Amino acid sequence: MEILLRLSGVIDAVNRLFGKFVIWLILAATIISAANAIARKAFNIGSNAFLEIQWYLFGAVFLLGAGYTFLQNAHVRIDVLASRLSMRTRMYIDIVGILVFLLPMCWFMIDFAWPVVMAAYVSGEVSSNAGGLIRWPVYALVPAGFLLLGLQAISELIKRLAFLQGKGPNPLLQGAHDGQDDIHGEEAQK
């Protein structure tokens, strides 16, 4: 279990890095959006490339940030129902959800998207808009994002199994919702 927990730590570090990176993409998209609006309104200058790069950046934020969101326990949950279950039951539900739904979906999305990325790369596909951008980089965000999410799912699976074996802290009490990185104790073990 110790080796798996180290692997989990490496995956967490990678997704933390991407999480910090996508914050800057939001700033870049905001600056580009503001500059584009000012150029259009003040100077009557427009660019489809500026419009497209905005949605490329927003796509990157959502796809590359999904693994980080899972790491921080900031994803959507039905807390009204989950709060009525024991912590062990919640862990088992998460394990089944990761194994039966999340990991297969990640695999499917990577398998489905990769040929599209390669076809766009080989053909040199470009946006049909005048002055538009090449498409393969934005297409590549789909398999990259689902790869990061799938890796984080493996990390979360390891952490839940470690918790159930009494070899790790409660992963549900870590992350963005409580502002603490590591919680131990009897309350966390319920």
Side-chain angles (χ1 to χ4, degrees):
M1 184 55 74
E2 190 174 315
I3 293 171
L4 291 175
L5 285 170
R6 275 192 253 143
L7 173 64
S8 174
V10 170
I11 293 169
D12 290 354
V14 168
N15 270 309
R16 232 179 250 107
L17 180 69
F18 273 94
K20 292 177 192 291
F21 171 70
V22 298
I23 290 169
W24 292 104
L25 295 182
I26 294 170
L27 176 63
T30 304
I31 291 170
I32 291 168
S33 178
N36 192 33
I38 291 168
R40 273 186 322 193
K41 298 295 181 186
F43 306 108
N44 203 24
I45 300 171
S47 168
N48 285 330
F50 281 135
L51 292 173
E52 288 183 11
I53 196 68
Q54 289 173 57
W55 69 263
Y56 279 31
L57 291 171
F58 281 120
V61 167
F62 287 104
L63 287 164
L64 300 179
Y68 180 71
T69 302
F70 195 14
L71 169 66
Q72 293 297 311
N73 282 315
H75 55 291
V76 176
R77 283 189 183 274
I78 305 174
D79 289 332
V80 174
L81 297 176
S83 65
R84 297 177 183 189
L85 303 173
S86 73
M87 196 55 70
R88 293 186 74 76
T89 302
R90 291 172 69 185
M91 290 297 161
Y92 285 119
I93 290 170
D94 280 358
I95 289 168
V96 170
I98 289 168
L99 290 173
V100 175
F101 298 108
L102 184 55
L103 285 173
M105 182 198 61
C106 289
W107 175 258
F108 171 79
M109 292 302 294
I110 292 167
D111 188 52
F112 178 78
W114 188 248
V116 175
V117 174
M118 292 310 299
Y121 178 77
V122 169
S123 71
E125 182 180 342
V126 177
S127 169
S128 60
N129 296 321
L133 302 174
I134 57 173
R135 290 294 172 110
W136 73 264
V138 75
Y139 293 164
L141 291 172
V142 175
F146 279 98
L147 175 64
L148 289 169
L149 181 59
L151 288 172
Q152 192 59 46
I154 291 168
S155 174
E156 296 301 319
L157 182 63
I158 293 167
K159 288 186 269 189
R160 280 153 178 76
L161 291 171
F163 171 78
L164 289 172
Q165 293 177 3
K167 296 180 180 178
N170 184 341
L172 297 180
L173 298 178
Q174 299 174 6
H177 294 300
D178 63 4
Q180 298 177 12
D181 288 331
D182 195 15
I183 295 178
H184 297 277
E186 290 180 30
E187 189 64 31
Q189 297 294 326
K190 281 188 184 177

